[in-house]
Amino acid sequence: MRISVPKEIKKHEYRVSMTPDAVAECVAFDHEVWVETLAGEGVGFDDADYIEAGAKIAGSASETFDKGELIVKVKEPQLHECAMLRPDQTLFTYLHLAADKPQAEALCKSGCIAIAYETVTDRFGRLPLLSPMSEVAGRMSVQVGAAALERHNGGRGLLLGGVPGVLPAKVVILGGGVSGTHAAQMAIGMRADVTLFDISDKRLDELDQIYGGRLKTAYSTRSAVAKAVMEADLIIGAVLIPGAVAPKLVTADMVKTMQPGAVLVDIAIDQGGCFETSRPTTHDEPTFIVDGIVHYCVANMPGAVARTSAMALGKATLPFIWRLAKGGIKDTLRDDPHLAAGLNVADGYIAYEPVARDLDMEFRTPDWL
């Protein structure tokens, strides 16, 4: 199969979807890999590294898209990239369509098959292609939140872990999944006062067993969250409904009750955000202030640590790329229910029901599935 790796073009997106090692593995199985020139420069891989791995170098984005049967990316395609896709091609990348109707419509118009990393499952019901970037975002959320708390950044002027004789900052984490758990690890390590909310008693019990008294756990109800929001110095939103719009757990009215200079970090911003006052930002201007509260809502957080992120994502996606390339796209999706769970667009329609519902678009399972 011909596999294409375009250069990422979203603002301050330096990751690359396949490392030279991943390319070499595909070439070893007689697949042809086209990599757009300079696609890996943001993470320290130059064209020579890809040539040595057996790739062919494409001189432009249009050539890269034209060559591939399977287009492997990191971030969702921009609208002019969607226009380069054809019905005989498959796109494999993060899509986050539930918060992006123009992209969804453009992908439907292209006629391509689009498989979203974030809804591919494994045999345990987990999200193996979302997990690596959730880990990164969870860990990053604490360090960016700590920086935003500094006075010159608009924050309360607090050190996350305090010092002897001075209380540490209060950190509230909404969601006990992958990103929330990694955020808790980092916040505890920095000696903050950490409380994590979730709606799963089982998950709260697991986290209590792991962290004991170092982590406070609480069942998530509107009133409990509202009270915690009033007292928090840093709130990390880490909720996830696979493929669907994130629930708004912190309302605009709740934000008004927070202490001036407190910080909100919205990991769920790719899915629309879990704070009512959130809006997507970039690494250029990562924060904004609403009612005296600092909001960090960067939609591609892991792009800031691009090399770590690219290597973590590459090792997770490679087995799935192998399967798609070896077995053929439609046959593999028919035979593999976990990859089929990632199917979001096919034959001009939305093929993932939560996305269709959130966007008020027609849902249709393709006849060949």
Side-chain angles (χ1 to χ4, degrees):
M1 182 174 285
R2 294 190 309 279
I3 303 168
S4 284
V5 178
K7 180 177 173 62
E8 298 297 322
I9 59 172
K10 190 164 185 172
K11 193 168 187 180
H12 286 297
E13 183 51 74
Y14 305 105
R15 288 174 289 180
V16 65
S17 60
M18 294 182 71
T19 65
D21 283 349
V23 168
E25 291 295 321
C26 289
V27 170
F29 285 90
D30 296 324
H31 302 299
E32 186 177 295
V33 183
W34 286 83
V35 177
E36 185 177 346
T37 184
L38 304 180
E41 68 171 347
V43 293
F45 301 127
D46 58 28
D47 289 355
D49 295 321
Y50 284 103
I51 292 170
E52 185 178 352
K56 301 176 186 297
I57 302 299
S60 65
S62 59
E63 182 184 3
T64 310
F65 275 83
D66 183 63
K67 293 290 187 183
E69 299 168 87
L70 175 62
I71 313 293
V72 183
K73 279 178 48 60
V74 177
K75 288 301 291 177
E76 69 278 1
Q78 304 304 291
L79 293 182
H80 71 277
E81 291 179 306
C82 293
M84 290 190 277
L85 291 165
R86 307 186 304 264
D88 63 334
Q89 292 178 315
T90 297
L91 174 67
F92 192 34
T93 189
Y94 289 116
L95 290 176
H96 301 294
L97 291 180
D100 192 349
K101 191 168 187 175
Q103 185 206 164
E105 291 174 335
L107 287 175
C108 289
K109 183 178 179 181
S110 77
C112 77
I113 292 172
I115 303 170
Y117 292 160
E118 69 269 15
T119 60
V120 170
T121 60
D122 64 15
R123 63 191 181 93
F124 302 106
R126 298 173 304 200
L127 304 171
L129 303 186
L130 187 62
S131 289
M133 297 303 96
S134 295
E135 292 167 359
V136 172
R139 292 182 176 221
M140 278 190 68
S141 68
V142 177
Q143 68 184 48
V144 300
L149 272 172
E150 295 172 7
R151 190 67 189 91
H152 65 279
N153 290 325
R156 301 194 68 215
L158 294 177
L159 182 65
L160 209 62
V163 293
V166 180
L167 291 172
K170 290 186 177 181
V171 177
V172 170
I173 299 171
L174 304 177
V178 175
S179 57
T181 300
H182 280 261
Q185 289 177 358
M186 295 299 104
I188 291 168
M190 294 178 74
R191 299 190 176 189
D193 178 348
V194 188
T195 302
L196 185 145
F197 286 81
D198 201 275
I199 58 172
S200 167
D201 284 332
K202 179 182 178 183
R203 185 56 182 157
L204 293 174
D205 183 64
E206 291 170 348
L207 291 169
D208 182 70
Q209 294 296 318
I210 294 170
Y211 294 107
R214 294 178 297 160
L215 175 67
K216 302 171 186 175
T217 59
Y219 189 82
S220 183
T221 64
R222 176 176 286 267
S223 59
V225 169
K227 182 178 179 181
V229 163
M230 294 174 62
E231 302 173 351
D233 300 304
L234 168 61
I235 302 176
I236 296 170
V239 294
L240 172 70
I241 300 175
V245 171
K248 298 294 188 283
L249 298 186
V250 176
T251 66
D253 287 340
M254 290 181 190
V255 171
K256 288 181 171 67
T257 71
M258 295 177 68
Q259 304 174 88
V263 174
L264 297 173
V265 177
D266 200 338
I267 297 176
I269 193 64
D270 272 330
Q271 293 294 121
C274 59
F275 307 137
E276 192 174 10
T277 46
S278 291
R279 58 175 170 79
T281 61
T282 67
H283 291 292
D284 263 349
E285 296 183 43
T287 63
F288 60 92
I289 295 177
V290 175
D291 293 324
I293 307 305
V294 182
H295 292 59
Y296 180 101
C297 304
V298 175
N300 61 329
M301 286 178 65
V305 287
R307 188 173 177 90
T308 296
S309 297
M311 295 174 75
L313 180 62
K315 69 179 176 61
T317 57
L318 182 58
F320 293 92
I321 294 170
W322 275 340
R323 284 183 231 171
L324 289 167
K326 179 182 178 181
I329 304 299
K330 292 182 179 179
D331 286 342
T332 301
L333 290 172
R334 275 192 291 264
D335 295 340
D336 187 334
H338 305 298
L339 264 168
L343 184 64
N344 275 224
V345 177
D347 299 341
Y349 294 93
I350 299 296
Y352 192 77
E353 193 165 8
V355 167
R357 181 181 63 244
D358 286 339
L359 295 181
D360 193 25
M361 294 177 67
E362 183 175 352
F363 165 71
R364 185 178 295 186
T365 300
D367 294 338
W368 46 262
L369 190 60

